Amino acid sequence: MNIHEYQAKALLRQYGAPVSDGRVVTKAEEAKTAAGELEGPLWVVKAQIHAGGRGKGSFKEASAGEKGGVRLAKSVEEAADETAKMLGRTLVTHQTGPAGKQVNRIYIEDGSGIDRELYLALLVDRVTSRISFVVSTEGGMDIEEVAANTPEKILSFSVDPATGIQGFHGRRVAFALGLEGKQVKQCVALINTLYQIFVEKDAEMLEINPLIVTDEGDLKCLDCKMGFDGNAIYRHADIAALRDETEEDPKELAASKFDLNYIALDGEIGCMVNGAGLAMATMDIIKLYGAEPANFLDVGGGATKEKVTEAFKIITSDQNVKGILVNIFGGIMRCDVIAEGVIAAVKEVGLEVPLVVRLEGTNVEKGKEIINNSGLSVIAADDLSDAAEKIVKAVKG
Ligand code: GDP
Ligand code: MN
């Protein structure tokens, strides 16, 4: 689960990490008061969306020469003006995809004078099973680009969970960033704090790009992106409260409400499968036969008829879906329950694309009978490859 910059900064502030003062607004009328509460003489007006690259992004239907989603203002009036200009519009960045994201909130921040822009991130390294730091002097840029063109400018190390974060970690970062004097002490404190937040809140990713050295020579977190482990949200009510459902794929949101493991993808074949392994195998075999899956969907072992119905509705609500493959191996799951769910869903929402069903396992005969007697035009398949071949053929001709 991801959160907005202003929410991440509030968390940083709570733990004592250096961030600027700021106010979030959702209406243009609130902007003047909000900006007026900040010191000035520089204000930064920042679109809040769950995507990076806002500064270099551009709004849809932008006027000639119009700036992106991060704008500097020299007065309260100018800050309010820029807020009004951005609210409600769609911002496209290299991370949003071409559809972009609607800007519903603006963060107005006290502007900083920048001496240097640096890069700092914490993430879970799945290879070492540890929390890793990624550090670079090349801040404010795409770290992927730095990694591709000048990998020597990136320092990366992981922290041994048995010892936790130590002073030398912070000093190592400070040295790599070329920090001096009081900045070294600030860096050690910041590294300790970020590690503490990361562990305590079950974060998955915490990126500060840029971390800056201000004109006064102090470290400050100028931007912050943060994501949390969805499986650990249940034990952090404060983090769960930060969820912004308008930022999420509506299909994935609906799926999460019914406890379905669903991930939207770009292909044309909708899949309904039980078990994550079988779902992965189903996606692979669809690709093998020359098409692309529209989603990953594991309905789980103990799915009810209602859950299957919801799953089917979510699949058919995807405009990209040109055919559906139901692939069930009934172990704990019973084939007749799946069959009933599919039929109930089709009765409710209709079926405008070809549907291939492969059932195997517990109550398979009963399941097939239900489908055969339903009057639905279902293409029956015998095994996994037969099913994949049939759905790809039905879609591609
Ligand atoms: P992003 O484009 O989504 O990554 O948004 P950032 O918050 O990183 O802002 C983009 C860029 O705007 C930064 O790299 C800075 O160069 C600039 N910027 C952001 N805040 C300030 C500020 O307080 N003062 C100045 N001078 N520039 C800023
Ligand atoms: Mn940034």
Side-chain angles (χ1 to χ4, degrees), residues 155-178:
L155 165 73
S156 172
F157 62 87
S158 57
V159 177
D160 188 333
T163 58
I165 198 82
Q166 304 279 321
F168 76 86
H169 290 121
R171 288 192 290 278
R172 198 166 161 193
V173 171
F175 184 71
L177 295 177

Side-chain angles (χ1 to χ4, degrees), residues 131-148:
I131 295 169
S132 280
F133 280 82
V134 178
V135 181
S136 175
T137 50
E138 306 306 293
M141 325 220 291
D142 231 340
I143 196 68
E144 286 83 2
E145 229 168 85
V146 181

Side-chain angles (χ1 to χ4, degrees), residues 84-359:
K85 279 185 190 154
M86 289 197 267
L87 266 178
R89 288 174 69 198
T90 302
L91 181 59
V92 182
T93 82
H94 68 96
Q95 285 187 7
T96 61
K101 286 202 158 172
Q102 188 174 328
V103 177
N104 300 318
R105 301 159 199 229
I106 300 283
Y107 190 49
I108 307 177
E109 198 176 62
D110 224 350
S112 307
I114 302 176
D115 180 28
R116 296 174 62 205
E117 297 199 25
L118 311 166
Y119 180 93
L120 178 60
L122 284 77
L123 44 92
V124 178
D125 182 346
R126 312 260 167 205
V127 177
T128 59
S129 309
R130 291 175 177 191
I131 295 169
S132 280
F133 280 82
V134 178
V135 181
S136 175
T137 50
E138 306 306 293
M141 325 220 291
D142 231 340
I143 196 68
E144 286 83 2
E145 229 168 85
V146 181
N149 300 331
T150 48
E152 69 281 1
K153 290 188 172 166
I154 295 179
L155 165 73
S156 172
F157 62 87
S158 57
V159 177
D160 188 333
T163 58
I165 198 82
Q166 304 279 321
F168 76 86
H169 290 121
R171 288 192 290 278
R172 198 166 161 193
V173 171
F175 184 71
L177 295 177
L179 302 179
E180 303 167 332
K182 63 176 176 180
Q183 296 160 5
V184 176
K185 220 172 152 185
Q186 290 176 359
C187 183
V188 171
L190 178 63
I191 295 299
N192 285 339
T193 303
L194 295 181
Y195 186 82
Q196 190 193 351
I197 296 175
F198 201 92
V199 172
E200 281 184 16
K201 299 297 182 189
D202 288 310
E204 234 168 29
M205 189 271 301
L206 196 175
E207 183 187 58
I208 296 175
N209 186 24
L211 168 72
I212 60 159
V213 177
T214 65
D215 282 345
E216 293 84 33
D218 296 307
L219 282 187
K220 192 185 265 183
C221 305
L222 208 66
D223 187 12
C224 185
K225 257 177 98 179
M226 220 174 159
F228 301 86
D229 182 347
N231 292 316
I233 293 293
Y234 75 94
R235 57 182 190 184
H236 301 289
D238 56 336
I239 303 298
L242 302 179
R243 187 167 185 180
D244 180 358
E245 296 190 341
T246 64
E247 287 284 336
E248 295 176 31
D249 182 307
K251 300 191 294 300
E252 291 185 8
L253 194 61
S256 76
K257 292 200 168 130
F258 289 92
D259 202 25
L260 295 159
N261 297 312
Y262 173 93
I263 293 161
L265 301 166
D266 300 328
E268 66 273 67
I269 309 229
C271 313
M272 183 155 87
V273 189
N274 67 324
L278 187 59
M280 296 299 280
T282 305
M283 289 161 58
D284 278 347
I285 205 157
I286 286 171
K287 278 168 138 2
L288 186 68
Y289 280 95
E292 294 286 329
N295 65 276
F296 168 94
L297 172 62
D298 166 19
V299 294
T304 57
K305 181 182 144 194
E306 286 71 32
K307 216 164 142 176
V308 172
T309 309
E310 284 311 316
F312 203 83
K313 285 204 283 200
I314 290 167
I315 293 174
T316 51
S317 74
D318 183 345
Q319 299 297 319
N320 294 328
V321 167
K322 302 284 181 286
I324 299 171
L325 172 54
V326 175
N327 183 20
I328 300 296
F329 186 85
I332 301 168
M333 191 74 215
R334 286 160 30 210
C335 292
D336 53 319
V337 171
I338 292 283
E340 280 174 359
V342 168
I343 287 160
V346 171
K347 277 193 183 136
E348 212 176 312
V349 295
L351 181 66
E352 279 156 17
V353 295
L355 170 65
V356 171
V357 178
R358 178 249 174 171
L359 296 175

